[in-house]
């Protein structure tokens, strides 16, 4: 088929950051394929006048089929936005190993496989851009977040290595590092935590963490999905892209603070934050439901 315009494929595009990104890219003149797992989500994207493609980043056949669909219809892929992901939280001791494997399958291995599938066509064309959606949580850590942080730290290393490997082929690799985003992420974080009950040795920390999340979700520092999407579009369209784009003022502040603080100081800072949350920042009633 004849090639036309710039073509983008976005994973995890059923809503939130991915959903806003496909809208902004389409408005900027891109031919955009919005990847989504559920048929009803794809139908909604189509109703909005967007192209959709069935895509589950934990299923190799689905990923192959999605890339083949884009290539058969548009003949090229100029941009891959690896956005699909979620957060698994809870005390490391209490995490289920199957849940932990699923976290890595979605946040890391799916991203790697999608990258492997699009790189051959980008190399053949002599150019392209891959944007990985990381997180401030790939530089800093918070209690209860070992699984999620491990995947986002992995993206930091993967992006840095890949950037050098594919540069000779004209392919850019960019990492976007958002701070907290109001996408329902915080509720999903609380729902993901193990139901180990009030007898758990971590029950106090879990309760404090839930209150801290409620406070963060409703603070002025959290971003709307479209704010992150605008950063992604800038990363996609800058002629000479930076290697990293931070999204949100607190992203700059938190990353800078972590680099300046010795480990023990950061640990104390995190513990103090949980203590303050448990005492002083109960947040809205609906967001502070007990995790037990």
């Amino acid at each position: 088929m004849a090639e036309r315009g710039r073509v983008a494929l976005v994973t995890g595009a059923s809503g939130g950051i991915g959903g806003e990104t496909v809208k902004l890219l389409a408005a900027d003149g891109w031919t955009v394929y919005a990847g989504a797992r559920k048929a009803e989500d794809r139908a909604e994207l189509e109703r909005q006048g967007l192209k959709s493609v069935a895509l589950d980043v934990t299923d190799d056949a689905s990923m192959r089929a999605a890339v083949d669909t884009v290539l058969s219809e548009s003949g090229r892929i100029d941009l891959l936005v690896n956005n699909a992901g979620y957060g698994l939280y809870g005390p490391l001791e209490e995490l289920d190993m199957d849940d932990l494997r699923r976290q890595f399958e979605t946040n890391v291995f799916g991203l790697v496989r999608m990258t492997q599938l699009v790189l051959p066509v980008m190399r053949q064309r002599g150019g392209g851009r891959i944007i990985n959606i990381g997180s401030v949580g790939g530089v800093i850590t918070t209690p209860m977040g070992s699984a999620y942080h491990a995947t986002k730290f992995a993206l930091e290393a993967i992006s840095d290595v890949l950037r050098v490997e594919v540069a000779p082929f004209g392919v850019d690799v960019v990492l976007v590092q958002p701070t907290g985003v109001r996408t329902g992420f915080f509720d999903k974080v609380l729902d993901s935590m193990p139901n180990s009950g009030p007898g758990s040795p971590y029950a106090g920390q879990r309760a404090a963490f839930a209150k801290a999340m409620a406070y963060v979700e409703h603070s002025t520092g959290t971003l709307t999905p479209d704010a992150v999407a605008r950063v992604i579009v800038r990363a996609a369209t800058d002629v000479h892209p930076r290697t990293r784009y931070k999204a949100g003022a607190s992203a700059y502040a938190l990353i800078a603070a972590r680099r300046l603080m010795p480990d023990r100081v950061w640990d104390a800072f995190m513990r103090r934050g949980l203590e303050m949350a448990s005492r002083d920042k109960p947040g809205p009633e609906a967001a502070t439901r007990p995790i037990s």
Side-chain angles (χ1 to χ4, degrees), residues 9-12 35-37 42 53-57 59 62-63 66 114:
L9 172 58
V10 180
T11 72
R37 288 186 301 115
R42 298 195 299 275
V53 60
L55 178 54
D56 181 346
V57 298
D59 183 327
S62 173
M63 289 184 278
M114 287 299 300

Side-chain angles (χ1 to χ4, degrees), residues 10 20 40 79-81 116 141 149 223 233 247 256:
V10 180
E20 294 300 320
E40 57 266 32
L79 172 67
L80 170 66
V81 180
Q116 289 178 333
T141 56
H149 289 302
L223 299 173
V233 173

Side-chain angles (χ1 to χ4, degrees), residues 165-186:
E165 291 178 346
V166 301
F169 310 116
V171 178
D172 291 310
V173 178
V174 177
L175 185 69
V176 174
Q177 301 166 307
T179 186
V181 185
R182 293 190 289 272
T183 59
F185 177 82
F186 298 100

Side-chain angles (χ1 to χ4, degrees), residues 27-249:
D28 192 49
W30 292 73
T31 298
V32 186
Y33 288 82
R37 288 186 301 115
K38 298 178 181 178
E40 57 266 32
D41 291 333
R42 298 195 299 275
E44 177 59 29
L45 288 162
E46 297 283 348
R47 280 194 290 272
Q48 297 175 33
L50 299 164
K51 289 180 175 291
S52 71
V53 60
L55 178 54
D56 181 346
V57 298
T58 67
D59 183 327
D60 194 74
S62 173
M63 289 184 278
R64 285 180 175 273
V67 172
D68 287 345
T69 295
V70 176
L71 293 178
S72 66
E73 292 183 3
S74 295
R76 59 194 288 174
I77 297 175
D78 301 287
L79 172 67
L80 170 66
V81 180
N82 282 312
N83 172 69
Y86 71 100
L88 169 66
Y89 275 70
L92 180 64
E93 183 181 345
E94 297 180 349
L95 291 179
D96 182 87
M97 289 304 298
D98 287 339
D99 290 341
L100 186 56
R101 292 186 183 97
R102 193 154 42 244
Q103 173 84 129
F104 273 82
E105 284 288 347
T106 303
N107 289 14
V108 180
F109 303 144
L111 174 147
V112 170
R113 187 59 179 142
M114 287 299 300
T115 300
Q116 289 178 333
L117 291 170
V118 304
L119 273 175
V121 69
M122 289 183 176
R123 283 191 294 100
Q124 290 164 12
R125 290 189 53 79
R129 193 164 298 181
I130 297 168
I131 298 178
N132 295 328
I133 308 305
S135 170
V136 169
V139 180
I140 70 164
T141 56
T142 58
M144 306 286 127
S146 56
Y148 177 72
H149 289 302
T151 63
K152 294 304 182 179
F153 269 71
L155 295 196
E156 296 277 332
I158 288 168
S159 299
D160 282 343
V161 172
L162 185 65
R163 187 174 65 249
V164 178
E165 291 178 346
V166 301
F169 310 116
V171 178
D172 291 310
V173 178
V174 177
L175 185 69
V176 174
Q177 301 166 307
T179 186
V181 185
R182 293 190 289 272
T183 59
F185 177 82
F186 298 100
D187 278 343
K188 292 174 185 176
V189 162
L190 298 182
D191 290 339
S192 77
M193 296 179 76
N195 185 7
S196 50
S200 165
Y202 302 98
Q205 290 186 49
R206 288 161 59 244
F209 177 80
K211 290 184 178 181
M213 285 294 96
Y215 173 71
V216 170
E217 182 178 19
H218 293 84
S219 73
T220 57
T222 53
L223 299 173
T224 58
D226 65 294
V228 182
R230 288 195 295 272
V231 175
I232 294 170
V233 173
R234 188 164 75 249
T237 55
D238 280 352
V239 175
H240 300 292
R242 303 199 297 266
T243 59
R244 285 169 170 78
Y245 288 77
K246 297 175 180 63

